Amino acid sequence: KKDTTIAKQLLRSATGIGANLNEAVYGSSKADFISKLHICLKETSESIYWLKLLYKTNLIDTRAVKLIENVEEIKKILISSLNTAKKTE
């Protein structure tokens, strides 16, 4: 509530994960699918950055730790999906 600038950045990056994942599912080719998953991975890393920044500056409480863990798990899933997709190219 104190700093809406960082919160807006987090909102953009976090929703970008879902939006790009949706685009990946409906991609026009395997290369398009992989490209969109890479964008999801970037958005995931950015979301982790913003969550950590909010937490370290005490703008959000300890619930952020669980959120960071959840996003880290999403990151692992995306990496695994990318590795699988690249193997089947």
Side-chain angles (χ1 to χ4, degrees), residues 51-87:
L51 283 167
K52 286 180 177 179
L53 184 61
L54 285 166
Y55 180 65
K56 288 180 180 185
T57 57
N58 296 314
L59 292 171
I60 54 177
D61 60 26
T62 56
R63 290 176 289 180
V65 174
K66 185 63 179 167
L67 289 172
I68 293 166
E69 289 171 1
N70 289 341
V71 180
E72 290 282 0
E73 187 64 28
I74 291 168
K75 185 177 177 181
K76 289 176 188 175
I77 292 167
L78 287 169
I79 290 168
S80 178
S81 297
L82 274 164
N83 287 339
T84 300
K86 288 178 180 179
K87 284 180 187 174

Side-chain angles (χ1 to χ4, degrees), residues 17-66:
I17 299 166
N20 282 290
L21 188 56
N22 188 60
E23 286 188 37
V25 170
Y26 296 101
S28 58
S29 66
K30 177 74 84 163
D32 188 31
F33 177 78
I34 291 170
S35 175
K36 295 298 182 191
L37 285 186
H38 274 288
I39 295 169
C40 289
L41 189 57
K42 288 180 184 181
E43 297 288 356
T44 302
S45 294
E46 184 179 340
S47 295
I48 291 166
Y49 169 79
W50 293 123
L51 283 167
K52 286 180 177 179
L53 184 61
L54 285 166
Y55 180 65
K56 288 180 180 185
T57 57
N58 296 314
L59 292 171
I60 54 177
D61 60 26
T62 56
R63 290 176 289 180
V65 174
K66 185 63 179 167

